[in-house]
Amino acid sequence: MPADAETMPYRYLDTADGAASFLSSIESVREIAVDTEGASYHRFVDRVYLLQLSTRARTAIIDPLAAGKLGALGALLEDPAVEVVFHDADYDLRLLHQDYGWHSRNIFDTRIAAQLTGVRAFGLAALLERYFGTKLDKKFQRADWSMRPLSQGMLDYAVQDTLHLLELRDQLRANLERLGRTSWAAEEFARLEGTRWDAEPDDLAWMRTKGARELTRRELAVFRELAVWRDGVAREFDKASFRVIGNEALFAAARTAPTTVGALAAVKGMPRGLLERRGEEAMAAIARGLAVPDAQLPKFPRAARWERDPQFEDRAAALRRVRDAEAQRLDLDPGVLCSRDRLEAVARRNPATMDELGEVREMRRWQIAELGEEFLAALRTVKPPKKSGEAPSA
């Protein structure tokens, strides 16, 4: 049974000296559990607002806003001799790269490990309850970790993200070894190395907003201008965009194109306080959208078109049958064994040999080892279509 916060107290470190002292005391460890707390639900630009660290003997929460440079931690996380344990590492790795430029080299991800052992409920709370009977309070799931001071309840909640993580890793590693799947996990973990924050500005984020495809091209032009204006205000206030104005309110404004600030304020969800101060800016955005020439109205790019292949669906179906049967045999979720995108990539490539299958970049080596021969056999069963006028075979 893992220790709890009473038997294994944690330290909250909100000074540079305190953080430096703690990091010096753990510099020789060879495994460490790490978690970060961001505030993307509240802030326009996310960053690391809290760092949770656990070794076998000690746990600490570091306030990076007060602790200053944390070079000793970066050296620890980038040391290939130190195993760094995360749960669902992707976003943590991106934030650590964005804020500090760090790249962990020796990663163990408990979410991936759980999936590869056949666990269907792989959230951290579900795993801790499954393996240790520990129930996590979800009270602070959407907490604003950028606020200061942090309450005791928030700190007690945050520490749970790493307090049991090394023991969870032990359980999952043992299960991987028992099932002969450690190489699967190692390949997946290696692919996490080098995960980085994409620093390129996303000028088309507005186009991917759920519901945008339901707008006419003129409405889409108005929505684009309103979304760009809204995001500029959000950046200025450092607030999540939806907390400034929700997407549904912008859609409604794009459809109705109000001609006065008063009419815009009557749109459901429009914040009157903001419009009192910035309403003319919003009206200017609407006017820009209405002024776009017809020939320059935005439109969604066409989906990638593949050369028509009448056998593609048959090949994909044959591969899916193999995948699903193997997933049942291995007691794995079919999507974990081979996702739809990877399966369809194989169907498009239509490999005839293991070497050709290895050229499908989406496929992992462990997936090829488990499924390769049967995939190739399934593809051979898909007969080419008969040519027009060809007599049926006897």
Side-chain angles (χ1 to χ4, degrees):
M1 182 76 175
D4 57 27
E6 284 71 36
T7 60
M8 184 180 175
Y10 64 90
R11 297 179 62 191
Y12 176 51
L13 307 170
D14 59 355
T15 68
D17 288 345
S21 176
F22 176 80
L23 293 174
S24 177
S25 73
I26 65 169
E27 64 182 2
S28 63
V29 300
R30 286 295 166 261
E31 52 193 3
I32 185 170
V34 180
D35 187 53
T36 67
E37 300 295 347
S40 60
Y41 190 75
H42 299 272
R43 299 290 178 175
F44 185 80
V45 178
D46 205 5
R47 60 156 298 172
V48 177
Y49 285 104
L50 212 61
L51 276 162
Q52 301 99 289
L53 309 173
S54 290
T55 68
R56 294 289 180 180
R58 309 183 69 187
T59 291
I61 298 176
I62 296 177
D63 179 356
L65 304 184
K69 295 181 179 180
L70 297 169
L73 178 57
L76 194 65
L77 300 187
E78 292 187 322
D79 185 344
V82 177
E83 185 176 57
V84 186
V85 182
F86 294 93
H87 181 80
D88 203 358
D90 184 83
Y91 197 64
D92 297 303
L93 293 171
R94 293 180 193 279
L95 281 183
L96 291 171
H97 171 257
Q98 173 193 250
D99 288 5
Y100 302 104
W102 299 339
H103 287 299
S104 294
R105 305 269 303 282
N106 181 3
I107 298 166
F108 189 102
D109 188 324
T110 54
R111 179 188 68 82
I112 292 174
Q115 288 180 295
L116 293 180
T117 60
V119 176
R120 268 62 170 185
F122 45 79
L124 181 59
L127 291 175
L128 293 182
E129 184 169 1
R130 176 189 180 102
Y131 287 102
F132 305 123
T134 299
K135 291 191 176 183
L136 298 187
D137 186 350
K138 298 182 180 180
K139 179 179 178 181
F140 296 105
Q141 248 181 347
R142 291 281 178 89
D144 183 359
W145 298 100
S146 67
M147 66 176 284
R148 295 295 185 273
L150 296 169
S151 70
Q152 188 63 49
M154 292 174 73
L155 294 174
D156 290 344
Y157 171 88
V159 78
Q160 299 297 320
D161 287 340
T162 61
L163 191 59
H164 313 305
L165 210 53
L166 291 179
E167 290 172 275
L168 178 59
R169 169 263 192 201
D170 294 344
Q171 295 266 12
L172 292 171
R173 181 180 288 280
N175 289 343
L176 287 168
E177 290 174 353
R178 176 176 55 81
L179 294 166
R181 298 175 187 175
T182 53
S183 62
W184 300 10
E187 184 176 357
E188 296 294 339
F189 299 159
R191 295 177 74 93
L192 291 171
E193 295 180 19
T195 300
R196 61 182 59 244
W197 190 271
D198 184 1
E200 293 299 317
D202 190 354
D203 296 331
L204 296 179
W206 57 272
M207 191 173 275
R208 291 191 293 276
T209 305
K210 184 178 180 181
R213 287 184 177 272
E214 299 174 12
L215 301 175
T216 67
R217 290 181 66 190
R218 176 62 62 189
E219 292 167 352
L220 191 60
V222 176
F223 174 72
R224 174 182 64 188
E225 298 300 327
L226 283 170
V228 170
W229 167 73
R230 185 265 313 267
D231 289 354
V233 174
R235 181 182 293 278
E236 181 182 330
F237 293 166
D238 192 17
K239 292 181 67 175
S241 294
F242 79 93
R243 290 184 172 273
V244 175
I245 305 174
N247 291 332
E248 290 302 323
L250 290 192
F251 288 148
R255 291 188 178 100
T256 57
T259 57
T260 67
V261 174
L264 180 60
V267 172
K268 183 179 179 181
M270 281 290 174
R272 296 187 175 225
L274 175 64
L275 294 183
E276 287 174 1
R277 304 188 305 275
R278 314 287 285 265
E280 292 302 327
E281 296 175 11
M283 296 309 302
I286 293 173
R288 288 194 298 274
L290 294 174
V292 174
D294 288 350
Q296 298 176 21
L297 289 172
K299 59 182 177 180
F300 288 94
R302 292 182 178 180
R305 297 181 66 87
W306 302 94
E307 184 177 346
R308 189 175 182 279
D309 182 348
Q311 292 179 281
F312 169 76
E313 291 297 340
D314 291 340
R315 290 198 298 268
L319 294 174
R320 193 159 44 246
R321 287 191 291 272
V322 169
R323 188 272 314 265
D324 292 351
E326 282 299 291
Q328 185 172 10
R329 182 182 70 81
L330 295 167
D331 192 22
L332 279 177
D333 182 282
V336 171
L337 179 58
C338 187
S339 67
R340 174 182 172 182
D341 289 347
R342 294 176 199 172
L343 187 147
E344 291 184 349
V346 175
R348 286 194 187 91
R349 179 67 172 82
N350 192 20
T353 67
M354 289 291 279
D355 286 343
E356 290 180 359
L357 181 58
E359 293 171 0
V360 179
R361 61 181 180 82
E362 291 87 349
M363 289 290 286
R364 311 291 201 250
R365 293 190 304 274
W366 68 266
Q367 292 172 321
I368 293 173
E370 291 296 321
L371 297 167
E373 294 293 350
E374 292 188 63
F375 268 7
L376 295 177
L379 291 172
R380 287 193 290 271
T381 68
V382 180
K383 303 298 183 184
K386 296 185 182 300
K387 296 179 181 178
S388 178
E390 182 178 323
S393 57

